[in-house]
Amino acid sequence: MWSLQLRMWLLLTVLFGFIYALIVVIGKSVLHVGDFSFYLIISLVLMFIQYMIGPKIVEWTMRVKYIKREDNPRLFQMVESLAMRANIPAPKIGIAQIEIPNAFAFGRSLRDGRVCVTKGIINLLSEEELKAVLGHELSHLKNRDVLTITLLSVIPMIMYRIAWEFLFYGRRRDERSGNTALIGLAAFVFYFITNLLVLYASRIREYFADRGSVALGNQPSALASSLYKLVYGSARMNPEALKESEGLKAFFVNDPSQARNEIKELAQLDLDKSGTIDPSELLLLKNKNVRLGFGDRLMELLSTHPNMLKRIKKLSEYRG
């Protein structure tokens, strides 16, 4: 876990450096201010605003409704039992009013943790599979990577907005300034680099959360089977329905937008066509070599989640 936290904080430091550098360039070119503390304060204020409003943005986008124990005693019992095993405070539990089958965790800290499932997942998974997914989400909270990914994810968005503003609007407002296009171009380059770094951070946290779910007592095959079902469920969704979660898919257990491609690869794992991946099928995968082609490696590089076949192969190496 320390390895994950170290990587995440190093990434946060690097990305904060990018945003600080760009704000300094803009400030010196447009405002003609050269004070170090002025730019540092602006950068920190941007991060603080994201820290404060991040959970509300997730709630609003995913249409989260928090529930009481009497609304779903089974779900409450699973979350509380897993939280006790993880030795963390029991998070708030919510149901997202969207049909995409998935789950996610967010919050500013361990005490502010929230775990949510979507309407689409509740009747799709068995109890063991749902527990494995919830264990994955609680591991995100335990690893304290939720806040970090929330802070990280806003930086490329800021870079993109700055690039758009200076490339397409800055020149119209001030034709005398030859720096606006250069600032916009620099922001766009920074956007591309920071986005790749955020995607990398998102992928590594998924591997740690998978391992964390197994450490909480869930069987690797139960998590593998749940991932298979989530991919299958997302692949059946209308593309328009998938778009409503596009901006926050890094929070999900899997990337719904990649489901149609992934289902073709994963179908080979379900040898008995039961719609699940059982321990014997997972054991067979353990003894196989999984090699990704150039196209698959490139797609993974640009994705919030690891290649699903590679990810399930990693699960096959864990002991339940």
Side-chain angles (χ1 to χ4, degrees):
M1 190 181 78
W2 282 109
S3 173
L4 172 65
Q5 289 182 0
L6 180 61
R7 286 195 232 180
M8 297 293 274
W9 283 108
L10 282 173
L11 280 170
L12 190 59
T13 302
V14 170
L15 290 175
F16 180 82
F18 272 113
I19 199 169
Y20 174 78
L22 194 60
I23 288 173
V24 170
V25 171
I26 294 170
K28 287 188 175 180
S29 300
V30 179
L31 302 177
H32 306 293
V33 177
D35 185 35
F36 167 81
S37 59
F38 173 78
Y39 298 118
L40 181 63
I41 290 170
I42 290 178
S43 302
L44 291 173
V45 166
L46 285 173
M47 300 294 281
F48 180 73
I49 290 172
Q50 171 61 11
Y51 169 80
M52 294 302 297
I53 69 173
K56 286 298 178 185
I57 292 174
V58 176
E59 289 174 357
W60 176 73
T61 306
M62 295 298 185
R63 304 199 297 275
V64 173
K65 290 186 178 179
Y66 294 107
I67 61 173
K68 298 178 181 178
R69 183 182 301 276
E70 53 268 27
D71 297 325
N72 196 323
R74 171 173 160 259
L75 186 60
F76 259 79
Q77 193 277 328
M78 282 192 280
V79 171
E80 289 178 343
S81 174
L82 288 165
M84 192 175 297
R85 287 186 194 177
N87 197 28
I88 62 173
K92 291 176 70 175
I93 302 171
I95 295 180
Q97 306 304 304
I98 59 176
E99 297 300 329
I100 301 170
N102 228 294
F104 53 98
F106 63 103
R108 300 185 190 94
S109 64
L110 276 179
R111 295 195 175 278
D112 184 52
R114 305 118 192 262
V115 167
C116 299
V117 295
T118 66
K119 285 173 60 178
I121 200 177
I122 294 175
N123 296 320
L124 179 67
L125 304 184
S126 69
E127 184 163 331
E128 288 303 310
E129 290 165 347
L130 184 57
K131 279 176 63 179
V133 168
L134 291 170
H136 174 99
E137 296 306 329
L138 283 165
S139 294
H140 278 312
L141 293 176
K142 181 174 181 173
N143 294 343
R144 294 178 173 85
D145 63 41
V146 175
L147 171 60
T148 314
I149 202 68
T150 303
L151 293 172
L152 287 173
S153 62
V154 78
I155 295 174
M157 288 190 283
I158 292 171
M159 295 293 180
Y160 181 81
R161 292 308 308 170
I162 292 173
W164 185 268
E165 183 75 12
F166 278 85
L167 278 174
F168 298 103
Y169 295 105
R171 289 172 68 100
R172 295 177 195 172
R173 285 197 307 266
D174 188 1
E175 293 292 343
R176 296 169 301 171
S177 175
N179 293 328
T180 54
L182 288 175
I183 292 171
L185 186 61
F188 187 79
V189 172
F190 281 4
Y191 159 73
F192 182 74
I193 296 171
T194 56
N195 196 47
L196 287 179
L197 291 172
V198 171
L199 292 174
Y200 168 72
S202 180
R203 290 193 300 273
I204 61 171
R205 69 193 281 268
E206 294 304 325
Y207 282 120
F208 276 89
D210 285 348
R211 190 172 69 183
S213 181
V214 175
L216 291 178
N218 296 303
Q219 291 299 317
S221 58
L223 184 54
S225 189
S226 67
L227 291 171
Y228 177 48
K229 285 186 176 182
L230 292 179
V231 169
Y232 184 78
S234 296
R236 293 167 56 191
M237 296 293 297
N238 186 306
E240 291 300 317
L242 296 176
K243 287 181 181 177
E244 64 182 326
S245 64
E246 187 66 25
L248 292 170
K249 62 185 181 181
F251 290 90
F252 280 164
V253 181
N254 70 301
D255 181 353
S257 63
Q258 295 296 326
R260 292 178 186 270
N261 296 321
E262 292 172 340
I263 197 65
K264 297 174 184 176
E265 286 186 328
L266 298 186
Q268 63 183 296
L269 304 182
D270 184 16
L271 300 176
D272 58 6
K273 306 303 178 186
S274 64
T276 63
I277 298 176
D278 59 43
S280 62
E281 291 168 335
L282 193 62
L283 183 61
L284 286 174
L285 179 63
K286 181 180 179 180
N287 299 320
K288 287 184 180 179
N289 287 325
V290 173
R291 293 184 178 180
L292 302 183
F294 175 77
D296 290 328
R297 290 200 302 271
L298 182 61
M299 189 173 292
E300 184 181 42
L301 183 69
L302 300 174
S303 177
T304 55
H305 290 69
N307 174 273
M308 187 57 78
L309 189 59
K310 203 169 82 173
R311 184 176 170 187
I312 294 179
K313 162 76 171 175
K314 192 69 177 177
L315 277 173
S316 72
E317 300 169 5
Y318 299 146
R319 287 187 179 183

